[in-house]
Amino acid sequence: MSEHPRDLAGYGAQPPHAAWPGGARVAVSLVLNYEEGGEHNVLEGDPASEGFLHELVGAPPVVGGRDLNVESLFAYGARAGFWRIHRTLAAHGAPLTVHAVAQALERNPDAARAMAAADWEVASHGWRWIDYRHVPEETERADIARSIATIERLVGRRPVGWYTGRTSLRTRRLVAEDGGFLYDSDDYSDDLPFYVEAADGHPHLVLPYSLDANDFKFLIVHGFTTAGDMLSYLIDTFDTLYTEGADRPRMMSVGLHCRIIGRPGRIRVLDGFLRHVARCGGAWIATREQIARHWLATHPPLR
């Protein structure tokens, strides 16, 4: 537990001035979670089918067997949803960070090539889309190394960002020990980047992520129902941060998934949000790597 001491104070009443490029009030980080093909499946030796974040909300996993309905829902994200999102972002010329599950990316090399061609940042989302609390440390360490090598081979550049999502208590230490990451995003506790002390005593940068401005809420009870629900929430979030950013610029993360926002009834959320941001001005839409490099240069850690 000592690897993750709780900090309930943070920056307090006077957060640092982010000094985003161009005097932007809000740094907007669009994040696409690419997971389709890395989820639980008995074909991978798992005890049951995937039971998390699909359209059959509340359906129990099939123990000891395949759930072909769930498999096809995940396949939609890779086969159709990804390309719909790709077209939408290309139309806006918007940069993106991909949280890529390496095994999923390996199973759709065309998507990996499209990410590289679009100059998107491809960060690692682990080797598989599983809960690493229940994985031995040596297995987790090996999966980190395997995910790095796979992404570098498919995209042509090693990942410099990390997000597991369902971490173990040792995940951050293992990521820091690798030495090749600028940041991780396994945190939801702030509207600005911040430093923590890694296990070796060195400062480690954290770029907080978001589970509220996130399309996964379409697939939980009492979450988003229509595209209008999520679009209104994103606009309200941006407008609040934009107002606060007049004297204290902020960061806004938007979480997306191929199989969720990539559905035709939901894609207008992404299009509508980007149109709103463009109309307002005063925003820096950036990859998480760009945000991390800016923070490291502008707000270096105090050793």
Side-chain angles (χ1 to χ4, degrees):
M1 294 297 291
S2 62
E3 292 188 24
H4 288 269
R6 299 195 70 189
D7 178 4
L8 301 180
Y11 289 126
Q14 296 295 324
H17 192 288
W20 302 130
R25 294 186 177 194
V26 186
V28 176
S29 169
L30 303 175
V31 177
L32 178 64
N33 295 273
Y34 193 91
E35 301 160 342
E36 292 78 7
E39 74 278 7
H40 286 95
N41 193 307
V42 295
L43 298 177
E44 306 294 337
D46 299 317
S49 63
E50 183 58 62
F52 188 49
L53 290 192
H54 54 68
E55 302 286 344
L56 299 175
V57 180
V62 176
V63 177
R66 297 173 67 182
D67 188 329
L68 298 182
N69 291 331
V70 169
E71 288 183 29
S72 65
L73 289 168
F74 273 80
Y76 184 92
R79 292 163 58 111
F82 171 81
W83 299 105
R84 183 170 287 119
I85 295 165
H86 186 278
R87 291 192 296 271
T88 301
L89 290 168
H92 287 272
L96 177 81
T97 294
V98 182
H99 285 167
V101 173
Q103 180 178 268
L105 200 61
E106 188 170 53
R107 291 174 171 173
N108 193 349
D110 285 345
R113 284 189 285 269
M115 293 173 192
D119 201 26
W120 292 351
E121 177 198 0
V122 181
S124 180
H125 195 6
W127 169 244
R128 294 196 62 212
W129 193 58
I130 58 176
D131 192 333
Y132 275 89
R133 287 176 296 182
H134 310 302
V135 173
E137 179 170 339
E138 288 308 310
T139 301
E140 184 174 9
R141 180 182 285 107
D143 279 3
I144 290 172
R146 191 177 184 186
S147 73
I148 294 168
T150 300
I151 291 172
E152 184 170 16
R153 171 170 51 83
L154 293 171
V155 181
R157 185 167 180 263
R158 75 148 282 160
V160 297
W162 184 272
Y163 175 72
T164 296
R166 289 172 284 180
T167 64
S168 72
L169 287 173
R170 59 186 171 266
T171 299
R172 178 164 289 156
R173 169 171 55 84
L174 295 175
V175 169
E177 286 176 358
D178 172 79
F181 289 99
L182 294 177
Y183 70 92
D184 82 62
S185 291
D186 279 312
D187 187 276
Y188 315 96
S189 66
D190 214 302
D191 297 314
L192 287 174
F194 59 90
Y195 295 99
V196 297
E197 185 177 292
D200 60 2
H202 287 84
H204 174 77
L205 183 62
V206 176
L207 265 61
Y209 186 44
S210 169
L211 293 183
D212 63 313
N214 193 307
D215 68 359
F216 95 94
K217 293 183 70 177
F218 280 112
L219 302 184
I220 63 173
V221 177
H222 305 306
F224 302 136
T225 301
T226 68
D229 294 338
M230 183 173 179
L231 180 56
S232 293
Y233 191 84
L234 293 185
I235 289 174
D236 287 348
T237 301
F238 177 82
D239 288 353
T240 297
L241 295 175
Y242 183 87
T243 300
E244 293 178 357
D247 64 334
R248 295 289 175 177
R250 308 287 188 173
M251 174 182 170
M252 176 181 177
S253 297
V254 180
L256 309 168
H257 298 74
C258 299
R259 65 190 177 279
I260 305 178
I261 204 74
R263 288 282 175 177
R266 297 172 181 148
I267 193 64
R268 77 177 183 90
V269 176
L270 182 56
D271 178 69
F273 176 66
L274 289 171
R275 290 180 185 276
H276 178 78
V277 171
R279 283 194 300 269
C280 291
W284 178 40
I285 304 178
T287 66
R288 297 179 88 74
E289 178 183 355
Q290 290 173 318
I291 294 170
R293 291 192 184 279
H294 170 85
W295 201 265
L296 287 162
T298 309
H299 301 280
L302 299 175
R303 294 186 180 274

